[in-house]
């Protein structure tokens, strides 16, 4: 009997209006309520730059959360809301313990020598998640045949 492939559940997106999401995120920070802000972050990401008021809180959650599995949601929300200055965050994400964060880093970290070194390591690591290995390989292939990208912009294939 072939085992059934397990798929990850769809991420929870908080559907509330922007003002309520901003208030809830602020309250989570004040209460140091570490479980749940990822759903708020995904909800805020729906508003793009209109949710710019959440950017500093999302950065704080990304830095201080004890729940590593929520970091990718914060990073994706920041990219949707205010991507300025995320180059170092994407670079740091290449070393994150969460595969989804490493995947984002592989796709968006700026072209720098230490980033290329880390991408090569991720590509060649037999214990790395397959999607991260594939993204690192694709990114390196694109970097070798493209000019250096603008900070934080993905290079896809070449």
């Amino acid at each position: 009997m072939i085992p059934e492939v397990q798929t990850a559940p769809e991420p929870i997106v908080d559907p509330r209006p922007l003002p309520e999401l901003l208030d809830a995120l602020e309250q989570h920070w004040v209460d140091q309520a570490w479980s749940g802000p990822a759903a708020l972050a995904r909800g805020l990401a729906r508003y793009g730059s209109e949710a710019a008021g959440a950017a500093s809180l999302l950065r704080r959650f990304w830095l201080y959360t004890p729940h590593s599995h929520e970091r990718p949601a914060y990073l994706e929300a920041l990219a949707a809301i205010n991507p300025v200055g995320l180059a170092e965050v994407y670079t740091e994400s290449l070393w994150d313990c969460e595969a989804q964060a490493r995947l984002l880093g592989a796709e968006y970290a700026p072209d720098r020598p230490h980033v290329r070194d880390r991408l090569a390591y991720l590509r060649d690591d037999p214990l790395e998640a397959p999607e991260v290995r594939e993204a690192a390989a694709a990114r390196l292939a694109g970097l070798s045949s493209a000019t250096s990208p603008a900070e934080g912009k993905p290079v896809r294939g070449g």
Side-chain angles (χ1 to χ4, degrees), residues 44-103:
L44 288 162
R46 294 179 299 126
Y47 291 96
S49 62
E50 291 177 51
S56 66
L57 271 173
L58 289 168
R59 287 180 187 270
R60 283 185 264 162
F61 272 107
W62 184 84
L63 285 169
Y64 297 109
T65 185
H67 300 293
S68 62
H69 66 275
E70 296 212 354
R71 277 196 302 269
Y74 304 146
L75 184 51
E76 289 171 335
L78 283 166
I81 293 167
N82 183 7
V84 175
L86 290 183
E88 297 309 318
V89 177
Y90 283 126
T91 300
E92 185 174 334
S93 293
L94 292 168
W95 282 266
D96 200 283
C97 65
E98 296 295 330
Q100 183 61 33
R102 292 190 306 278
L103 181 62

Side-chain angles (χ1 to χ4, degrees), residues 20-47:
E20 290 180 32
L21 290 170
L22 290 170
D23 289 345
L25 189 66
E26 178 69 36
Q27 194 60 55
H28 270 74
W29 181 257
V30 169
D31 295 341
Q32 294 186 356
W34 302 111
S35 292
L40 293 171
R42 288 186 203 97
L44 288 162
R46 294 179 299 126
Y47 291 96

